[in-house]
Amino acid sequence: MKIIQVILVPSFILFVAIYFRYFQSLILDRLVVSAFALLGSLLVLAPDWSDRLAHSLGVGRGADLVTYFGLTGLLFFCLVLFSKLRRLESRLTEVVRSQTLE
């Protein structure tokens, strides 16, 4: 086992434990976080799997495939956060208006 594997796999476990402990979330969110941690651990422990998957999808290297998926996920995450921020700003505006009228 390589040193990076010894560092990353416990890190994934720690991140999931922290998420479950400090963030109250829906069961679906917990399943998604657990699935990503499991997938990340599998790709760390068996990096040749990402190469095989990348070649079957027409990407040169597994690292490139992981980067593409990571950037796509980051973009999705940013859009979700942006929409929640807009919704929160709208609710805050409504509350302030109603308080002002009272």
Side-chain angles (χ1 to χ4, degrees):
M1 186 173 271
K2 297 180 181 178
I3 294 174
I4 193 67
Q5 293 173 327
V6 173
I7 295 170
L8 288 177
V9 172
S11 296
F12 285 132
I13 294 168
L14 179 66
F15 292 146
V16 170
I18 289 171
Y19 181 82
F20 284 178
R21 173 72 174 102
Y22 293 106
F23 298 106
Q24 295 180 359
S25 59
L26 300 173
I27 189 71
L28 180 63
D29 294 341
R30 289 177 177 236
L31 288 173
V32 168
V33 167
S34 299
F36 276 116
L38 181 63
L39 180 65
S41 296
L42 287 174
L43 291 178
V44 166
L45 293 174
D48 57 322
W49 290 1
S50 65
D51 284 334
R52 282 191 235 143
L53 180 61
H55 288 295
S56 68
L57 293 175
V59 179
R61 299 180 308 163
D64 294 338
L65 180 69
V66 171
T67 301
Y68 298 152
F69 282 144
L71 288 174
T72 304
L74 182 63
L75 177 63
F76 177 74
F77 181 70
C78 288
L79 289 173
V80 168
L81 283 179
F82 180 71
S83 71
K84 287 185 178 191
L85 180 64
R86 296 285 299 218
R87 202 170 331 135
L88 184 61
E89 287 174 344
S90 175
R91 287 182 186 168
L92 182 62
T93 302
E94 291 173 11
V95 168
V96 169
R97 283 182 182 161
S98 69
Q99 291 293 322
T100 303
L101 293 176
E102 290 178 6

